[in-house]
Amino acid sequence: MRILFCCTDFKAEPWLAALRAALPQAEIAVWAPGAPAADYAVVWAPPQQFLNEQPHLKALFNLGAGVDALTQLKLLPQMKLVRLDDAGMSVQMAEYVCHALIRHFREFDQYAADVAQGKWSFRRPRLRTDFPVGIMGLGVLGQRVARAVAQFEFPVVGWSRSARQVEGVRCFSGAAQLPEFLEASRVLVCLLPLTDETRGILCRETLSQLQPGGYVINVARGAHLVEDDLVPLIESGQLAGAALDVFRQEPLPPEHPFWRHPKISVTPHTAARTLRDESVAQIAGKILALERGEFIAGVVDHQKGY
Ligand SMILES: NC(=O)c1ccc[n+]([C@@H]2O[C@H](COP(=O)([O-])OP(=O)(O)OC[C@H]3O[C@@H](n4cnc5c(N)ncnc54)[C@H](OP(=O)(O)O)[C@@H]3O)[C@@H](O)[C@H]2O)c1
């Protein structure tokens, strides 16, 4: 069995070593143009040339949960794309979102500013019931985040494409129920995949429908947010602020206003990192399952784009 590794932004050597340890029977190499045909590939943002040269792969394993870097390429309909299915990311996402939510709700930034000035001052406690958390996307990551947020006793609402039932979450689905979902949310967490339907979904029109003093946590993809709409909504007082992990251009350019806005907190696309051991174990397990002719989870639906 031959496996190619074609991942921009990843140091190849430790991944090759881990893959070889998990699949000792396989021949595993870094892709270079003209490489002989392989059975499987492990990819992250591969060039179109890679797909053109390897049309007969049995499966492509994406080193992330979001496959938007692949779906924007010309893919053959028979190509089996497999995304990472949690692989240690959901607990990280839960940490990130709970941190951003609680930091905002408990006004920890304001306390830090007071403390920096030597001020011992209390703020009036706020009610959790005034901060319902709306989670866009109730997939692998969204459901884990919903569970963590509910543990802190915030009311939780969720929105997905198809109707879902998630314990402790008031669920909405489809475009028709989006307004009702937004009106029920004050803190909005985006955990959607980036598709033609979701690009630009965090915009003036939708964010204006949040409860007053809305707060945005975008941990999905930068292109979900219409960046130019955000600051005016914060300046007008409609939104209280935002915690952003992802941006239209990454790294975020030094002159971008988000860096310095006092009500926007920025992190460098780090909410849920791809973990090598978990990812390799999952991919190796799935390759072996495919070789046995078994069903595997996490196969991308080309029609839906995720
Ligand atoms: N910042 C980071 O570090 C980081 C790390 C990992 C992942 N991510 C992002 O997180 C995203 C979510 O990952 P995941 O593993 O949770 O994905 P997933 O399991 O595929 O879940 C996606 C969810 O979004 C919903 N959805 C998709 N299109 C929709 C639409 N048009 N309207 C309403 N709901 C829609 C789906 O609805 P159904 O339930 O009906 O299918 C599903 O509930 C990834 O695509 C990636 O972009 C970011």
Side-chain angles (χ1 to χ4, degrees), residues 170-243:
R170 212 172 125 212
C171 292
F172 299 89
S173 61
Q177 291 187 347
L178 180 59
E180 214 183 323
F181 160 78
L182 293 168
E183 283 160 23
S185 307
R186 177 156 172 188
V187 176
L188 188 67
V189 180
C190 182
L191 271 168
L192 292 166
L194 184 64
T195 65
D196 290 344
E197 287 177 19
T198 65
R199 189 178 304 276
I201 196 163
L202 305 175
C203 61
R204 182 188 307 275
E205 193 196 337
T206 51
L207 299 180
S208 303
Q209 293 173 62
L210 295 175
Q211 295 180 2
Y215 192 77
V216 178
I217 302 176
N218 187 18
V219 277
R221 285 291 182 264
H224 284 123
L225 175 67
V226 178
E227 292 187 346
D228 289 346
D229 287 357
L230 185 66
V231 172
L233 287 165
I234 295 175
E235 300 294 316
S236 72
Q238 180 111 32
L239 293 180

Side-chain angles (χ1 to χ4, degrees), residues 83 138-141 159-162 164 193 197 219 245 272 306:
R83 37 68 59 93
L138 290 174
V140 174
L141 303 181
W159 183 66
S160 51
R161 193 171 188 270
S162 54
R164 294 221 165 222
E197 287 177 19
V219 277
D245 185 52
Y306 67 96

Side-chain angles (χ1 to χ4, degrees), residues 38 100 108 117 162 167 277:
F108 284 133
Q117 293 178 31
S162 54
E167 203 187 322
D277 290 351

Side-chain angles (χ1 to χ4, degrees), residues 79-126:
M79 279 182 168
K80 192 192 280 275
L81 298 186
V82 188
R83 37 68 59 93
L84 280 183
D85 199 351
D86 192 339
M89 282 189 284
S90 73
V91 68
Q92 298 178 66
M93 201 50 104
E95 286 166 349
Y96 185 100
V97 171
C98 288
H99 175 267
L101 166 67
I102 292 167
R103 176 178 165 188
H104 171 61
F105 171 66
R106 292 291 307 271
E107 303 183 88
F108 284 133
D109 283 350
Q110 290 85 334
Y111 277 112
D114 288 350
V115 166
Q117 293 178 31
K119 267 205 243 165
W120 181 275
S121 58
F122 294 108
R123 286 161 195 280
R124 189 197 289 226
R126 311 207 275 191

